């Protein structure tokens, strides 16, 4: 029992490192999930990686590529993964195949991937191949970093948050919260384009996210892999059914949406989450 407890403490330590890595992809991997991976053996970190951009290498592949490039043998090592490894081939190879090819002995995961094409299949495949699987290590924390992805992949609609000023929120608190949202959400729904003179007593550098691709989208545009949000005019909702409109955004791969205006909030209030 003591050995199991010590193992779990180590797993949590390495999972915290994997979470820190995963967060580096925030705003860059949409509509894919944030994922971090750490490969360890005998108390030593051998390799690590994270998903850093849409259609880029997955976290596990980043770690394995590093090990391969530096001649590091991973036989018998443990992979600490914030999210279940994928078991299908898309724009990247299946991570389960890479794990098997590198002689990994154990895989420790935080979250199970809710994507129907994975959804436990990756872990089952590894177990069937004789790899030990440890589930649900820091699951709450691992689930939390992918709330956008989990909602989007299970509903087909973006995760929505109300970004209007809260009661009792200071200028500095409001500005900081908006900066955080603009840095990680895919789109903004408001009554007008953001006004660069609306500075809330902060510097130009603090609001640099208003530069670049903050724009309206047309009916045919697919939005992927942006690190700054697209601007959507609330008038687009005028004659639309709210759920159908949100599903259309989902089809365009908009996985998360900031609601800025009172008018927009009235239309979408039932779908808004608390962040």
């Amino acid at each position: 029992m003591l050995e199991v407890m010590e193992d779990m403490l180590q797993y949590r330590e390495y999972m915290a490192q994997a979470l820190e890595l995963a967060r580096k992809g925030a705003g860059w991997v949409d509509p894919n999930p944030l994922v971090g991976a750490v490969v360890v053996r005998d108390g030593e970190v051998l390799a690590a990686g994270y998903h850093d951009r849409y259609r880029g290498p997955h976290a596990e592949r980043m770690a394995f590529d590093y090990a391969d490039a530096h001649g590091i043998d991973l036989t018998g090592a443990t992979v600490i993964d914030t999210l279940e490894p994928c078991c299908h081939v898309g724009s990247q190879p299946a991570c389960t195949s890479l794990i098997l090819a590198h002689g990994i002995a154990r895989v420790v995961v935080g979250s199970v991937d809710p994507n129907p094409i994975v959804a436990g299949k990756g872990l089952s495949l590894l177990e069937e191949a004789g790899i030990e699987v440890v589930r649900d290590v820091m699951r709450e924390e691992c689930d939390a970093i992918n709330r956008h992805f989990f909602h989007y992949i299970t509903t087909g609609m973006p995760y929505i948050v109300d970004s209007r000023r809260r009661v009792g929120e200071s200028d500095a608190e409001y500005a900081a919260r908006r900066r955080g949202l603009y840095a990680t959400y895919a789109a903004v729904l408001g009554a007008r384009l953001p006004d660069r003179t609306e500075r809330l007593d902060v510097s130009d550098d603090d609001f640099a996210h208003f530069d670049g691709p903050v724009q309206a989208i047309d009916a045919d545009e697919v939005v992927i892999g942006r690190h700054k949000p697209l601007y959507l005019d609330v008038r687009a909702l005028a004659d639309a059914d709210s759920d159908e409109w949100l599903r259309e955004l989902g089809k365009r791969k908009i996985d998360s949406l900031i609601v800025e205006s009172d008018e927009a909030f009235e239309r979408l209030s039932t779908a808004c989450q608390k962040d």
Side-chain angles (χ1 to χ4, degrees):
M1 176 63 75
L2 182 60
E3 183 178 350
V4 172
M5 290 176 62
E6 289 177 348
D7 285 345
M8 190 57 65
L9 287 173
Q10 286 193 330
Y11 296 158
R12 290 181 63 86
E13 177 186 342
Y14 295 128
M15 187 65 77
Q17 294 179 33
L19 280 164
E20 185 175 351
L21 287 170
R23 292 187 184 100
K24 292 183 178 183
W28 292 88
V29 302
D30 299 342
N32 283 350
L34 298 173
V35 186
V38 177
V39 187
V40 302
R41 186 176 57 217
D42 299 328
E44 178 186 2
V45 174
L46 303 176
Y50 69 97
H51 187 36
D52 66 344
R53 65 187 185 280
Y54 180 73
R55 292 192 182 279
H58 290 183
E60 299 90 338
R61 182 181 173 188
M62 290 272 282
F64 293 144
D65 282 354
Y66 173 88
D68 292 345
H70 290 80
I72 301 172
D73 181 8
L74 299 181
T75 302
T78 295
V79 172
I80 311 292
D81 225 330
T82 58
L83 184 69
E84 175 184 7
C86 67
C87 53
H88 62 285
V89 177
S91 60
Q92 298 294 320
C95 292
T96 50
S97 297
L98 295 175
I99 289 170
L100 294 173
H102 283 81
I104 299 300
R106 181 185 299 108
V107 174
V108 177
V109 298
S111 301
V112 173
D113 191 340
N115 189 337
I117 61 177
V118 185
K121 300 182 185 70
L123 298 182
S124 294
L125 188 154
L126 294 175
E127 287 179 318
E128 290 167 4
I131 293 177
E132 180 186 355
V133 172
V134 180
R135 294 171 167 79
D136 298 335
V137 174
M138 297 181 68
R139 177 157 188 172
E140 183 176 349
E141 294 88 342
C142 292
D143 285 356
I145 65 168
N146 278 316
R147 60 193 183 281
H148 298 173
F149 172 74
F150 286 8
H151 179 84
Y152 169 73
I153 204 68
T154 56
T155 67
M157 296 187 285
Y159 182 99
I160 304 173
V161 66
D162 176 11
S163 72
R164 298 175 305 164
R165 191 166 190 156
R166 296 169 179 170
V167 175
E169 193 170 38
S170 69
D171 286 353
E173 290 169 338
Y174 178 46
R177 183 164 61 86
R178 287 183 75 199
R179 286 198 299 273
L181 293 174
Y182 269 74
T184 56
Y185 277 64
V188 180
L189 179 63
R192 58 179 173 77
L193 283 169
D195 183 353
R196 285 187 55 80
T197 65
E198 186 184 39
R199 303 194 186 281
L200 298 175
D201 297 324
V202 294
S203 69
D204 285 350
D205 289 340
D206 288 327
F207 274 81
H209 56 269
F210 283 162
D211 296 328
V214 180
Q215 57 187 299
I217 66 172
D218 61 42
D220 298 322
E221 184 174 0
V222 174
V223 183
I224 52 176
R226 295 187 184 274
H227 67 286
K228 296 181 182 180
L230 292 170
Y231 180 81
L232 309 177
D233 195 309
V234 71
R235 288 173 294 182
L237 264 173
D239 299 316
D241 175 84
S242 297
D243 284 348
E244 289 181 3
W245 187 76
L246 290 172
R247 289 192 184 92
E248 181 59 31
L249 293 187
K251 291 176 182 177
R252 300 182 200 181
K253 301 188 184 298
I254 296 176
D255 70 339
S256 51
L257 179 68
I258 302 167
V259 174
E260 291 254 292
S261 72
D262 292 340
E263 182 182 356
F265 181 77
E266 289 301 318
R267 293 294 304 275
L268 301 175
S269 60
T270 58
C272 280
Q273 312 293 320
K274 291 183 178 180
D275 262 18

